[in-house]
Amino acid sequence: MRMPRLPRIRSSEITTEAVYRDRRRLLAALAASPLLGGLSACAGAEPPPPPRTTTSAADAKAGFSTGEEQTRYEDVTGYNNFYEFGTGKADPSRAAKTLRTSPWSVVVDGECAKPGTLGLEDLLRGLAPQERIYRLRCVEGWSMVIPWQGVPLADVLRRFQPGSKAKYVAFTTLADPRQMPGIRYRSIDWPYREGLRIDEAMHPLTLLATGLYGKPLPQQNGAPLRLVVPWKYGFKSIKSIVAIRFTERMPETAWHALQPSEYGFFSNVNPAVDHPRWSQKTERRIAGSSRLFAERIPTLPFNGYADQVASMYAGMDLRKWY
Ligand code: MTE
């Protein structure tokens, strides 16, 4: 994703320490004030609780596939965002071969009755992989159509018996500088972290992917285990997961920590809410044979999955909770 460009600062523009300290004090006081608690999504305020809704089986199924032209395997596996292996789109496919994906285990803990560390086979035991053809819309403005194989995240999470305090689920990617050359650069405060509200995590569309195009996930796409949340911007779909935690409070996420005004917790695809530095109204669909000249098409609310997911956000101000 495009990093904020640092402006040149003249020495006359540099804030004196005293002014800086005063400002910090004022900000701290504002954040602590109960009256101003709802001021911003980034001030530590919690969103309203989700409405109790369920997606009908027919609605859910309608979201499992699309007849749209699929992105070529070479593009799905050659044009990637995986900053642990570099910030260029071709870096992950070149560098990620060093990621050892077996043996692999995942720690699951927090607000649940049965926490534990499970090897990948045990984590997925008895769950048959399903195929889902999803649109993936990156916050940068490009999108793909990808046939994934994986299991519903809900089926895996239920094994750990989340309790009533489990309001969110936090995910963490491996951060090993020996296997991941990008970790040497502080482009992100590693490890990469993401999170979902519990109802989003349990939603039938949310997939824990283990493969694509009928083959095991390549390292650059997040082997051996990644999230796919098709109605949210692509950065929510965290790769190479090593930890899952049930939490009571909204967990911090890697992109929000870096630029809170640009990357919210929810990050639902929304053409009506622009990124502060670019429009989100259209997207460049990378599908078929031409990537460079791919056509721009209108971006749809919730990436076209509104029938399946919009009810989870009923009554919520989507400009505030972006
Ligand atoms: N997960 C980790 N651990 N590190 C990353 O840099 N990039 C995200 C997401 N998951 C990222 C990540 C972003 S910005 C996008 S758009 C998708 O992965 C891209 O997935 P793809 O390369 O399989 O298309």
Side-chain angles (χ1 to χ4, degrees):
M1 306 210 288
R2 279 169 252 174
M3 301 303 293
R5 215 181 270 153
L6 294 176
R8 276 213 198 140
I9 303 174
R10 273 180 277 140
S11 60
S12 60
E13 289 173 334
I14 295 174
T15 313
T16 65
E17 193 184 341
V19 172
Y20 169 81
R21 282 191 193 287
D22 266 2
R23 220 180 267 164
R24 301 291 301 176
R25 257 202 299 275
L26 178 67
L27 287 175
L30 282 176
S33 158
L35 283 176
L36 296 172
L39 194 63
S40 121
C42 328
E46 289 280 321
R52 285 178 185 276
T53 55
T54 44
T55 310
S56 76
D59 271 351
K61 250 188 133 185
F64 289 173
S65 189
T66 165
E68 290 160 287
E69 188 174 14
Q70 293 175 18
T71 304
R72 294 184 312 169
Y73 183 79
E74 303 89 272
D75 287 334
V76 175
T77 59
Y79 189 85
N80 300 99
N81 272 337
F82 200 168
Y83 276 26
E84 288 85 337
F85 297 97
T87 55
K89 299 288 179 247
D91 290 344
S93 59
R94 276 197 295 259
K97 304 282 174 286
T98 50
L99 177 65
R100 281 190 312 275
T101 57
S102 175
W104 191 271
S105 58
V106 182
V107 182
V108 184
D109 64 8
E111 301 290 348
C112 62
K114 297 229 154 94
T117 302
L118 267 71
L120 192 62
E121 295 71 28
D122 289 332
L123 189 76
L124 303 174
R125 194 173 300 283
L127 301 173
Q130 304 178 5
E131 162 123 337
R132 300 283 175 82
I133 304 172
Y134 282 156
R135 293 177 287 273
L136 183 89
R137 165 63 157 84
C138 185
V139 73
E140 295 164 321
W142 48 269
S143 61
M144 297 187 177
V145 178
I146 305 175
W148 301 100
Q149 289 77 45
V151 298
L153 176 65
D155 291 349
V156 172
L157 296 185
R158 269 191 215 103
R159 306 199 142 162
F160 300 89
Q161 299 183 9
S164 59
K165 284 188 179 168
K167 301 213 167 69
Y168 296 91
V169 190
F171 303 86
T172 308
T173 295
L174 179 73
D176 179 356
R178 285 164 302 171
Q179 300 181 58
M180 300 169 139
I183 297 274
R184 273 178 282 144
Y185 306 98
R186 292 253 135 225
S187 49
I188 280 175
D189 182 17
W190 312 109
Y192 194 99
R193 288 154 293 149
E194 257 310 334
L196 294 172
R197 209 170 59 184
I198 189 83
D199 57 325
E200 299 175 326
M202 302 306 266
H203 193 279
L205 288 189
T206 306
L207 197 71
L208 208 43
T210 53
L212 58 83
Y213 265 108
K215 299 178 198 189
L217 266 188
Q219 283 106 322
Q220 61 267 35
N221 293 92
L225 196 65
R226 71 165 298 166
L227 208 58
V228 186
V229 196
W231 70 97
K232 293 180 180 281
Y233 290 116
F235 65 89
K236 298 295 287 182
S237 293
I238 182 172
K239 297 177 169 182
S240 305
I241 297 166
V242 290
I244 301 177
R245 173 168 289 173
F246 298 100
T247 67
E248 191 169 11
R249 308 280 303 177
M250 183 188 275
E252 181 57 298
T253 64
W255 283 102
H256 179 263
L258 197 68
Q259 275 300 333
S261 62
E262 300 190 353
Y263 307 104
F265 177 82
F266 286 94
S267 297
N268 294 315
V269 173
N270 190 346
V273 177
D274 287 340
H275 184 281
R277 287 180 286 137
W278 60 85
S279 160
Q280 293 292 21
K281 288 191 180 59
T282 63
E283 65 202 57
R284 188 165 56 92
R285 175 62 56 83
I286 301 176
S289 54
S290 105
R291 174 210 286 174
L292 275 178
F293 304 106
E295 54 170 335
R296 287 202 86 86
I297 53 173
T299 288
L300 299 174
F302 300 105
N303 202 21
Y305 299 94
D307 286 350
Q308 288 80 37
V309 303
S311 62
M312 286 194 288
Y313 310 100
M316 202 162 130
D317 179 353
L318 297 178
R319 286 189 177 275
K320 178 176 175 185
W321 300 106
Y322 53 90

